[in-house]
Amino acid sequence: MSPTVNATAQPLDVAAIRRDFPLLSRILHGKPVVYLDSAVSGQMPLRTIERMAKYERDEHTNVHRGVSTLSQEATDAYEAAREKVRKFIGAASIKEIVWTRGTTESINLVAQTFGRMKVGAGDEILLSAMEHHADIVPWQMLAEEKGATLKVIPLTDDGELILDSLDELITDRTRIVGVVHVSNVLGTINPVKEIIARAHAKGVPVLVDGAQAVPHLKVDVKDLDADFYVFSGHKLSGPTGIGVLYGKLAHLDAMPPWHGGGNMIRSVSWEKTTYIAAPGKFEAGTPPIAAAIGLGESIDYLEALGLDRIAAHEHELLAYATEKLSAIPGLRILGQAKDKASVLSFVVDGIHAHDMGSLLDGEGVVVRAGHHCAQPIMTRFGVPATTRASFAYFNTREDVDVLVSAVLKAIEIFK
Ligand code: 7TS
């Protein structure tokens, strides 16, 4: 059993949960849909969809604008969602919770503000070899602008980070470490608390990409001591267009704003503009209000299910799927880390991942095929692409059985 899973957690009532997701009753190509693509985007429970619809129908107006009752109500609901996020990740203050459009925007914000402040010519940015492009490209852009270099923490063949040399990789030129909490390709759960402690011992701050972690693990940013922790609403059973940047208040206070405009200023004159405090100074313009409120509702839903029960259920499915798929001749699973969450990538001899994905789609099985926006991992493992199944709390062993039969059928077709 994974060290991050509570084996004594009460099982989920999956049949009841499935009724909260109408999409799971759809028929695709004459087959009941089997949704194994939650790492791409999680499904939203009905109560989230209904809460967002209620805002749009009965409450729609802008936030932080004027004294109207409607605006006050919208502001209260929007800020209540921020408090839900704060509690969900164990942050000390809502001032540390910045709304963004998602993980990608959160990392760009940090790179373009904190990064620009801290990184100069000859400096280094240390990333892990299993980062999503969202935690590579913004740093590469900054490195090019500043004349800095990227360094990489390597991987074992099992898909675990090699941390033996971490203390040498973090040099006196390292200005920030970026590491993914759970890999979207390999499923590896990285020991981010240890990485953060070792970076801090050398005075280096750490950004954690939690996009694939928050849906599956209980995260406590204070316990991790993360400097920045970022994630997307849509992978957390919430809507698209909303995401979170958690930052320690001392960092956020020291950072300049990124986007300028309305909602983030204290005063504007032709001579000079002054800004409000964090998080507002990073939130220029009208935010995605319904999406923020919806994400708050999804967090309530997940907390009612219980993150430990979700993790135990998904872990059981992952173990079952790993056992079944490993038994298929010619099939290789990428990512065999001891501590894994909810993602299973594989390649099959003689079948391109895109063909596999299309054949599975024909069987109603929704998976992702491709490089998963993590091309350096594909290069590391010498494959152009993988097929990836990802599991959520509403999936069942029957879903895994359908996946396995569909893979076997595809193999027969390609023989
Ligand atoms: N980081 C990780 C670890 C991710 O898995 C993703 C999205 C992102 C960042 C970017 O998130 P966004 O919401 O800003 O787009 N990952 C995937 C995936 O695995 N398949 O589709 C998107």
Side-chain angles (χ1 to χ4, degrees), residues 75-294:
T75 305
D76 289 349
Y78 172 76
E79 290 300 333
R82 196 192 303 269
E83 165 61 17
K84 289 178 191 183
V85 169
R86 181 205 66 76
K87 205 162 134 269
F88 184 65
I89 60 167
S93 160
I94 55 165
K95 294 179 187 163
E96 297 179 316
I97 308 298
V98 180
W99 292 123
T100 64
R101 282 192 300 130
T103 308
T104 304
E105 187 172 80
S106 297
I107 299 174
N108 276 280
L109 192 164
V110 176
Q112 291 297 315
T113 55
F114 188 81
R116 271 194 167 150
M117 247 168 53
K118 299 275 178 187
V119 177
D123 286 341
E124 295 165 358
I125 297 162
L126 181 62
L127 303 173
S128 97
M130 61 171 93
E131 296 312 300
H132 183 281
H133 294 167
D135 200 28
I136 300 175
V137 184
W139 300 117
Q140 222 159 25
M141 289 162 66
L142 178 69
E144 265 171 32
E145 176 188 318
K146 297 287 189 169
T149 50
L150 298 189
K151 287 174 78 179
V152 181
I153 308 170
L155 274 181
T156 65
D157 290 343
D158 280 344
E160 294 186 341
L161 290 179
I162 301 172
L163 296 175
D164 304 348
S165 55
L166 185 64
D167 298 333
E168 288 83 68
L169 282 168
I170 302 174
T171 71
D172 58 3
R173 297 314 298 261
T174 310
R175 294 294 171 257
I176 189 160
V177 176
V179 64
V180 71
H181 198 168
V182 172
S183 161
N184 66 317
V185 177
L186 306 167
T188 313
I189 303 175
N190 286 316
V192 288
K193 189 172 173 176
E194 177 198 338
I195 295 169
I196 291 167
R198 286 169 70 178
H200 284 178
K202 296 194 151 191
V204 178
V206 180
L207 176 142
V208 180
D209 174 353
Q212 300 290 351
V214 282
H216 310 293
L217 314 172
K218 183 72 199 134
V219 169
D220 183 327
V221 290
K222 273 211 300 298
D223 177 57
L224 293 177
D225 203 21
D227 295 277
F228 299 101
Y229 195 99
V230 298
F231 55 95
S232 301
H234 70 103
K235 298 195 199 279
L236 192 60
S237 303
T240 56
I242 188 81
V244 171
L245 160 64
Y246 159 80
K248 283 184 180 170
L249 194 56
H251 292 322
L252 296 182
D253 280 346
M255 281 151 59
W258 185 34
H259 292 158
N263 230 10
M264 50 80 80
I265 57 90
R266 196 178 303 285
S267 74
V268 178
S269 69
W270 292 119
E271 290 72 35
K272 184 163 176 60
T273 292
T274 57
Y275 310 113
I276 56 174
K281 75 174 166 187
F282 300 109
E283 296 179 348
T286 297
I289 301 161
I293 295 171

Side-chain angles (χ1 to χ4, degrees), residues 355-384:
D355 293 328
M356 178 61 82
S358 303
L359 286 161
L360 296 187
D361 188 63
E363 299 297 312
V365 181
V366 186
V367 293
R368 180 160 179 205
H371 56 59
H372 314 292
C373 302
Q375 283 180 340
I377 305 185
M378 301 295 118
T379 308
R380 164 65 180 79
F381 285 94
V383 296

